[in-house]
Amino acid sequence: MAILVTNIKIGLEESDDVAFYKAISKLSVSNDKVKSISIYKRSLDARKQNNIMFVTSVLVNLDCDEALVVKKLKDNNVTYKPAYELKLKTGTEKLNSPIVIAGFGPAGIFCGYILAKLGYKPIIIERGKDVDSRVEAVETFFKERTLNSECNVQFGEGGAGTFSDGKLTTRINDERCNFVIDTFFKFGAPKEILTSAKPHIGTDKLRRVIKNIRKEIIALGGEVLFSHKLENIVVKNSRVQSVIVNNKEIRTENLVLAVGHSARDTFEMLLDKGVFIEPKSFSVGVRIEHLQSEIDKALYGKLASHPNLPKGEYQLSYREAGRGVYTFCMCPGGTVVPAASEEESVVTNGMSEYKRDKLNANSALVVSVGADDYGKGVLDGMYFQRHLEKTAFNLGGMDYCAPAVTVGDFLKGKAELNLKSVEPSYSLGVKACDFDKLFPAVVNDFLKKGLLNFDKKIKGFACDDAVMTGVETRTSSPVRITRSDDFNALGINGLYPCGEGAGYAGGIVSAAVDGIKVAQSIALRYRPVE
């Protein structure tokens, strides 16, 4: 149990001790009553560039009746915070076959970790390779343009998030988020993720963390099988009976589908099997790059070079007539990476290492699209993504170069790439492109509206030499594999759609939380393996 004191502001050069002093003063207790005190969260308030502050929340353990202290204060910034413990209960029904989890991204990892902790010995199958082999395959593609369609930025140990910033921010309000953050720290993530309001691990450190969790799952009796692709499911009397993996049958009555948002062949297979799938809106657009130093100046003003300030980040949005344009997955000091998972296609993503020390800042700049843009068929959104990716490949010269344009030229309607201070970081090269040949008119129209609107919020966002590189299509799953309240797919007992690919998450933490929820649901029904 503890007391949480929020909204404590301290200067850039003030120590945590100042926040502790302010918290204790607010509680009106003597120092001898304080058993422990620590920073709970720390964020940055840079709205006033001449007075940038850290905003902290402080967790205080008192040697007295904490609930009574909070009640007497009647202060919205002082709350009683009971200790949180993840509830892990097990059921009584006997398992007749192993639980199988398809996919080893955040949802599959945390679902498998929870089930392994409870003694269920799950079998986890992943179509891609282990993270070390995966890094080798990805680097080969980045350098030699040789794409492995089963092991790439989208497929393999850790999922798509392994080649990103390792961002752990989320909009969901679920206490399981704390368990996810604590688990990442337990297995090797930097300590500051425990207190940062915008925690990130960095792709370089995240790889080691993922390996450590995998080793723990195996030590607890689970199996992790790489280069094992889910090819089919066998359903009888509305109940999962088995799965076909690498042309071999594995008996199971419980299959967790944590396949990620890019498992297009899996979506087609499920639709053919009669699994209920709904189309879902998503967003498409580009990666936009600026000099990180210019973003810092725009956000921090004269204090931009202050050593205590983090790399500047932004999150921007604009809506008009029911459609939105927004920035997504911002990578300070990062690079734009080739993220294709199908041959003869171009996909972009953003990636930052822990230090975020590269020259450019990049972010997805995307426009929301729906059935009116691409059709009302269940998989029409997926086919629309593929069309854009194939078009980008052709416009880029059919060698995995990416189509690109400088912002100034794009706003003038020119298909030119007049590079100045911003050098594109996409490793396979970029080629000037007419975006009117790449995107539907409505997407280009809203990209322009977004640029002009965001330039009012961040000076220089629409500067002439910023670079837009296409295409960003994998913002979220184009489908939702609908499930009931017990997490089973509609009409199929033992099939558990899970995570981002199934349409129930949007990022590392939310996907991990969904994996935990599914694991808890399965555990409530069955008793652990004897």
Side-chain angles (χ1 to χ4, degrees), residues 224-291:
V224 182
L225 306 176
F226 296 110
S227 298
H228 279 63
K229 179 180 176 180
L230 175 67
E231 297 169 335
N232 208 343
I233 60 174
V234 178
V235 179
K236 185 177 180 181
N237 297 326
S238 300
R239 173 82 203 201
V240 172
Q241 299 292 309
S242 63
V243 294
I244 308 300
V245 179
N246 292 3
N247 293 317
K248 296 181 180 180
E249 187 174 25
I250 300 176
R251 295 286 299 174
T252 183
E253 292 181 318
N254 295 279
L255 170 64
V256 179
L257 278 172
V259 294
H261 58 38
S262 295
R264 293 169 173 172
D265 49 2
T266 305
F267 298 150
E268 290 173 328
M269 178 271 289
L270 293 170
L271 191 62
D272 288 342
K273 297 295 294 186
V275 176
F276 188 80
I277 302 177
E278 299 176 272
K280 184 175 74 62
S281 60
F282 54 97
S283 301
V284 299
V286 298
R287 279 273 153 183
I288 185 167
E289 288 189 275
H290 304 84
L291 287 177

Side-chain angles (χ1 to χ4, degrees), residues 73-88:
L73 283 175
K74 297 180 181 179
D75 188 327
N76 290 334
N77 291 318
V78 179
T79 56
Y80 182 59
K81 187 173 177 61
Y84 172 73
E85 184 177 351
L86 185 66
K87 296 178 181 178
L88 298 174

Side-chain angles (χ1 to χ4, degrees), residues 25 110 121 163 183 264 321 338 375 385 390-391 421 453 521:
S25 298
F110 275 82
K121 300 180 180 179
F163 292 91
T183 300
R264 293 169 173 172
Q385 290 176 326
K390 296 290 186 183
T391 302
S421 62
N453 181 270
S521 179

Side-chain angles (χ1 to χ4, degrees), residues 142-338:
F142 287 3
K143 295 176 183 177
E144 301 176 11
R145 305 173 193 271
T146 304
L147 176 67
N148 183 334
S149 60
E150 294 297 335
C151 186
N152 43 63
V153 168
Q154 306 297 342
F155 299 141
E157 183 172 20
T162 303
F163 292 91
S164 65
D165 189 63
K167 281 178 282 292
L168 303 180
T169 51
T170 181
R171 294 180 180 180
I172 67 171
N173 184 19
D174 191 307
E175 287 198 320
R176 295 177 185 86
C177 294
N178 293 327
F179 177 83
V180 173
I181 300 293
D182 290 344
T183 300
F184 278 127
F185 171 66
K186 175 182 176 181
F187 288 100
K191 187 175 183 179
E192 55 262 35
I193 70 169
L194 299 176
T195 55
S196 174
K198 294 182 178 180
H200 83 106
I201 300 176
T203 186
D204 48 338
K205 293 184 181 291
L206 181 59
R207 297 167 188 173
R208 183 181 71 249
V209 174
I210 296 302
K211 284 171 62 176
N212 290 339
I213 300 176
R214 180 235 301 170
K215 291 176 181 177
E216 180 68 7
I217 291 172
I218 294 171
L220 292 168
E223 292 184 67
V224 182
L225 306 176
F226 296 110
S227 298
H228 279 63
K229 179 180 176 180
L230 175 67
E231 297 169 335
N232 208 343
I233 60 174
V234 178
V235 179
K236 185 177 180 181
N237 297 326
S238 300
R239 173 82 203 201
V240 172
Q241 299 292 309
S242 63
V243 294
I244 308 300
V245 179
N246 292 3
N247 293 317
K248 296 181 180 180
E249 187 174 25
I250 300 176
R251 295 286 299 174
T252 183
E253 292 181 318
N254 295 279
L255 170 64
V256 179
L257 278 172
V259 294
H261 58 38
S262 295
R264 293 169 173 172
D265 49 2
T266 305
F267 298 150
E268 290 173 328
M269 178 271 289
L270 293 170
L271 191 62
D272 288 342
K273 297 295 294 186
V275 176
F276 188 80
I277 302 177
E278 299 176 272
K280 184 175 74 62
S281 60
F282 54 97
S283 301
V284 299
V286 298
R287 279 273 153 183
I288 185 167
E289 288 189 275
H290 304 84
L291 287 177
Q292 181 64 52
S293 58
E294 292 302 310
I295 294 296
D296 292 344
K297 290 177 185 176
L299 294 175
Y300 301 145
K302 295 179 180 179
L303 290 174
S305 60
H306 196 288
N308 291 343
L309 283 172
K311 299 290 185 180
E313 295 182 66
Y314 57 78
Q315 185 173 342
L316 306 166
S317 64
Y318 172 73
R319 291 191 65 83
E320 182 180 301
R323 191 185 299 270
V325 54
Y326 61 97
T327 63
F328 170 78
C329 186
M330 195 265 172
C331 296
T335 55
V336 177
V337 298

Side-chain angles (χ1 to χ4, degrees), residues 6-166:
T6 61
N7 201 31
I8 298 174
K9 296 184 178 182
I10 61 174
L12 290 182
E13 297 182 0
E14 291 182 313
S15 69
D16 290 345
D17 289 339
V18 175
F20 298 155
Y21 173 79
K22 290 185 176 182
I24 295 170
S25 298
K26 183 179 281 287
L27 295 178
S28 299
V29 296
S30 58
N31 287 333
D32 63 336
K33 293 293 185 183
V34 179
K35 293 197 295 185
S36 65
I37 187 167
S38 60
I39 298 294
Y40 180 70
K41 291 294 178 185
R42 179 186 287 106
S43 62
L44 191 70
D45 183 354
R47 290 174 295 179
K48 298 179 180 179
Q49 292 183 349
N50 62 345
N51 188 31
I52 297 175
M53 307 284 285
F54 285 114
V55 182
T56 62
S57 299
V58 174
L59 205 59
V60 187
N61 288 101
L62 297 179
D63 187 17
C64 60
D65 189 335
E66 294 171 334
L68 183 60
V69 171
V70 172
K71 184 178 181 180
K72 287 182 176 180
L73 283 175
K74 297 180 181 179
D75 188 327
N76 290 334
N77 291 318
V78 179
T79 56
Y80 182 59
K81 187 173 177 61
Y84 172 73
E85 184 177 351
L86 185 66
K87 296 178 181 178
L88 298 174
K89 298 180 180 179
T90 58
T92 58
E93 188 175 332
K94 181 182 178 181
L95 275 170
N96 296 314
S97 55
I99 299 166
V100 173
I101 301 170
F104 201 54
I109 288 170
F110 275 82
C111 184
Y113 175 55
I114 294 298
L115 291 174
K117 278 172 65 74
L118 292 174
Y120 291 95
K121 300 180 180 179
I123 298 174
I124 306 173
I125 57 173
E126 166 58 51
R127 68 192 295 168
K129 298 182 179 181
D130 65 274
V131 71
D132 292 328
S133 301
R134 187 182 179 197
V135 168
E136 183 178 343
V138 168
E139 290 181 348
T140 297
F141 178 48
F142 287 3
K143 295 176 183 177
E144 301 176 11
R145 305 173 193 271
T146 304
L147 176 67
N148 183 334
S149 60
E150 294 297 335
C151 186
N152 43 63
V153 168
Q154 306 297 342
F155 299 141
E157 183 172 20
T162 303
F163 292 91
S164 65
D165 189 63

